[in-house]
Amino acid sequence: MSDKILYGYSAIFDKPDDIIKAAKTVAEHGYKKYDVNTPYPIHGMNNAMKLKPSKLGYISLIVGLSGALAAILTMWWMSAVDYPIVYGGKPFFSFPAYIPVVFEVTVLSASIATVLAMLFIFFKFPNNSHPLQGTEYLKKVSSDKYGIIILADDEKYNENEVKNLFQSLNASELEPIYWDNDEINHKHKIFEPKFILFLVVVAILNSGAVYFVYNKLLFMVPFNWMMEQERQNVQQKSLIFSDGFGMRTPVEGTIARGHLPYQFYGKPDLAGEKLINPIPVSKSSLKLGQEKYDTYCSPCHDYHGTGQSRLNGQFPNPPSLHSEKLRSWSDGRIFAVITEGQNVMPSYSTQLTEDERWAVINYIRVLQRAMNAKESDIK
Amino acid sequence: MSAVDYSHEISVVEGKPALRELDDLIIKPLETKPNKNFLIALSITLGMLGFFVIGLGLTFYYGIGMWGNNNPVGWAFDIVNFVFWVGIGHAGTLISAILFLFRQKWRTGIARFAEGMTIFAVMTAALFPLIHIGRFWLPLYLMPYPNQHSLWVNFTSPLLWDVFAVSTYFTVSLIFWYVGLIPDFAILREKTENKIKKTIYSIFSLGWRFSNRHWQHYEMVYLILAGFATPLVLSVHTIVSFDFAVSILPGWHTTIFPPYFVAGAVFSGFAMVQNVLIIVRKIFHYEHIITLDTLEKMNKIMLLTGSLVGYAYGMEFFIAWYSGNPIEQFTFINRAFGPYAWAYWIMLTCNVVSPQLFWFKKIRRSIPIMFIVAVFVNVGMWFERFVIVVTSLANDFLPSSWAYYKPTYVDFMILIGSFGFFFTFILLFTKALPVVSMAEVKAVVDGAQPSHHDH
């Protein structure tokens, strides 16, 4: 026994009134390091022990407010900075709609932080190696007795005085409590081989499972059904239509949008008279026209319509698009050339939709104007 | 009967049981082998759980086309069940947090159990949005996490608020529950002789040693958590109601929804807690801990919330008429007399008429009758959600798109299965953990607190 270190001296009481009185007396005698253990909180004990009010409320306040702020900032960054999207005509940062999430995050962060702070900072839990653990004393106070203990490292500690004090308070049982030598001498090692092995096994199993799920499982039936759906490909035999054709001809007597048949084959002059450019000159139409011209016309006609292009010599040189003739042609007349082709120039009706052809014509007009600028055009 | 003595607080625990006896009584189900009744009950709930597994299996394999959902009625049993179960979950936090703040001592006997029910009910509820999204293995998209699409979630959508509300509610309820359990784990640790059990209890009790320097912080944390959980529980069903109220569908687009949903949630939650507690107190002989007085008080709360719900039903009709909006008016007349009139009248009888019986003290204190009334309330509250979700969708603005919703056998399997899921957890809970908080109940027994209050 003598080689054990004393932790404190404990006394057991049977009545809640007695324990309050005991706590009060011990506090009045000037003991600082003592504790009262009861199966449930006793009213008035905080006053008897002269405990200061708990400071845990501040943790809730600080963490809760930080959580709220973090939630607001995160939502602002995500929906107003990083990837702004308009939802329902609301501003990118629409605070009223964020209130529910801010509230939930506040409550969540504050609750978790308060409890964690209580358990791990205030109580220094988990602590199953405390000297009180496993004692008869703790067994009794967990059920229906009320205990008080004065610790041996209190400045005023004197075994006989403490004993007398408890006896004068009508304690029903007295008992010294010692540190457990095994617990004191036990060294906690983090890098025990068993623990390391455990970590390795967990790591392997975990990464294996993740690999399997994301690279194999999600490509198996039925997870792949969304990705690999039955569909009709071009030129494939159809299983639905009786004639076996996957591609269908339009219903008789109908014309697809933008595919009105051209009425002026072989009559370019008539086309020049009748056709009117429906596309107004605008920034976007000119941009489209430039893009299409540079792609389809510039190889022969050059970027500026001079006819001296990068194909020079490998193909009959086309005439300049700035000729007197061309400048006097109507838009419809040029449209006829693009649609039908002219002599060695092929037709571009399959490459360019009608609207695109008109846009190219608008762009040619810009080129012509630029090459033959009038005095009044220069500012 | 003698006159009531108001000078003395009536004890919430009947008789004056010794503290040690209370411990033993509450621990008994944990220490004894399950008896025959328990095993029969467990096999029934496991059977129901089997339906759940099959129903979900069919859904996962073939997709949600297995359900009866059709084009206008895209939300049906899945969302009805979700709202129903989340509602059930509201009683627990109400009992443990709001009644705690109001210093209602009678809550101690039932708080632990009700909190447990909250957790299981929210777990059940959370499954439904998951399966509703069809590809349940991709729920991560509900969370704002950095992904390869560099897209974020829509923070202005009530459906997203719901994700935050339900997951916060679940987490905070779980923490609340665990904090309440720590001292009880310590009691179990001190009591048990079994080595394995002792290890488990030691881990979960974290080394709690009943120190008053700890109780002081502990009580503060309990107060803080109760303070957080109170607005939280109100916010959760409010946000669930936003799922409907923020849309423009007639029958959903009403401002009365948040309070009306919260009242309904408490109503159905109390009915479910009352039903289960009546069985528990009988089986485990807790009649003097979960007293008739407690049950009567629960019935009074049901009467109050049931009347609130009835008022809301009436007010919806009044506003539909008063608004002068013909579509709104049609929706409500269609509810009461249209193709789903049968559901509407079941709801009205169960929810509005049956709780009114609780005006009579005899009925409030008669266990068989209150049990039946609470069953009716549960049925009625399920139908309330059905009426709200399905009738509004089935007959919306465009008559050309109207359709009648009919659930399939898979829908019913999942519905029955969700009850199996919930009750299996409840049964296991009664055998694994103390269903009454020992530390709290001991504190409210007569004579447990010092007699003189000289502070």
Side-chain angles (χ1 to χ4, degrees), chain B residues 53-367:
Chain B
V53 174
I54 299 172
L56 292 184
L58 287 170
T59 305
F60 292 156
Y61 194 75
Y62 294 110
I64 51 175
M66 295 303 285
W67 299 345
N69 300 23
N70 55 32
N71 202 343
V73 189
W75 282 7
F77 264 35
D78 43 348
I79 302 299
V80 174
N81 294 341
F82 164 68
V83 181
F84 174 75
W85 282 113
V86 170
I88 298 286
H90 276 54
T93 317
L94 187 97
I95 290 170
S96 57
I98 301 187
L99 296 185
F100 177 81
L101 293 184
F102 283 119
R103 301 275 181 246
Q104 297 292 313
K105 282 191 197 153
W106 57 271
R107 65 176 270 290
T108 47
I110 56 174
R112 166 74 46 74
F113 200 87
E115 285 167 31
M117 284 183 59
T118 292
I119 289 167
F120 304 138
V122 175
M123 274 162 57
T124 318
L127 285 176
F128 283 98
L130 265 192
I131 60 173
H132 174 76
I133 62 176
R135 293 201 281 166
F136 72 101
W137 55 93
L138 299 174
L140 205 58
Y141 289 141
L142 298 171
M143 289 288 163
Y145 74 104
N147 55 52
Q148 73 273 36
H149 313 295
S150 57
L151 265 176
W152 302 107
V153 292
N154 176 4
F155 287 107
T156 59
S157 159
L159 298 181
L160 180 96
W161 304 343
D162 227 11
V163 173
F164 276 82
V166 173
S167 50
T168 302
Y169 186 47
F170 178 73
T171 318
V172 173
S173 304
L174 195 66
I175 293 176
F176 207 10
W177 198 47
Y178 177 64
V179 168
L181 272 167
I182 293 176
D184 278 10
F185 274 127
I187 296 176
L188 291 170
R189 178 195 67 204
E190 296 302 325
K191 282 239 177 233
T192 186
E193 303 293 331
N194 182 321
K195 256 207 139 145
I196 302 174
K197 277 190 182 173
K198 191 162 187 116
T199 315
I200 295 173
Y201 293 143
S202 300
I203 292 173
F204 282 108
S205 69
L206 296 171
W208 181 262
R209 48 182 191 272
F210 303 94
S211 157
N212 267 275
R213 293 179 192 274
H214 291 176
W215 279 124
Q216 185 214 8
H217 295 301
Y218 180 88
E219 285 198 293
M220 174 57 95
V221 162
Y222 214 78
L223 188 68
I224 291 173
L225 283 184
F228 278 132
T230 300
L232 179 65
V233 68
L234 300 182
S235 85
V236 173
H237 229 58
T238 299
I239 290 178
V240 170
S241 82
F242 284 165
D243 290 346
F244 303 96
V246 172
S247 78
I248 54 164
L249 200 70
W252 287 4
H253 188 59
T254 50
T255 45
I256 200 176
F257 259 28
Y260 156 33
F261 266 53
V262 171
V266 173
F267 185 43
S268 66
F270 265 71
M272 186 64 99
V273 172
Q274 188 239 52
N275 268 349
V276 181
L277 279 180
I278 286 177
I279 298 172
V280 165
R281 75 197 278 273
K282 184 95 202 135
I283 295 179
F284 297 132
H285 306 295
Y286 290 165
E287 277 95 347
H288 58 303
I289 304 176
I290 304 167
T291 60
L292 201 55
D293 286 334
T294 305
L295 293 176
E296 188 188 351
K297 286 189 177 110
M298 297 182 68
N299 293 340
K300 282 183 185 165
I301 292 187
M302 266 190 260
L303 174 60
L304 171 73
T305 48
S307 305
L308 283 176
V309 167
Y311 168 80
Y313 295 159
M315 190 42 88
E316 276 189 317
F317 269 83
F318 171 75
I319 292 292
W321 167 75
Y322 189 65
S323 70
N325 178 343
I327 294 178
E328 193 78 16
Q329 287 167 356
F330 164 78
T331 302
F332 281 91
I333 291 179
N334 187 46
R335 258 186 202 175
F337 305 107
Y340 291 102
W342 55 275
Y344 186 81
W345 294 104
I346 292 178
M347 164 189 105
L348 213 68
T349 348
C350 292
N351 284 356
V352 183
V353 181
S354 71
Q356 299 304 322
L357 290 174
F358 285 146
W359 285 108
F360 305 103
K361 185 157 185 155
K362 274 242 167 62
I363 293 183
R364 277 203 311 264
R365 296 185 70 91
S366 155
I367 293 198

Side-chain angles (χ1 to χ4, degrees), chain A residues 34-37 40 52 83, chain B residues 150 209 211-213 216 448:
Chain A
Y34 67 98
D35 203 355
V36 178
N37 303 76
Y40 49 86
K52 288 199 198 86
Y83 202 139
Chain B
S150 57
R209 48 182 191 272
S211 157
N212 267 275
R213 293 179 192 274
Q216 185 214 8

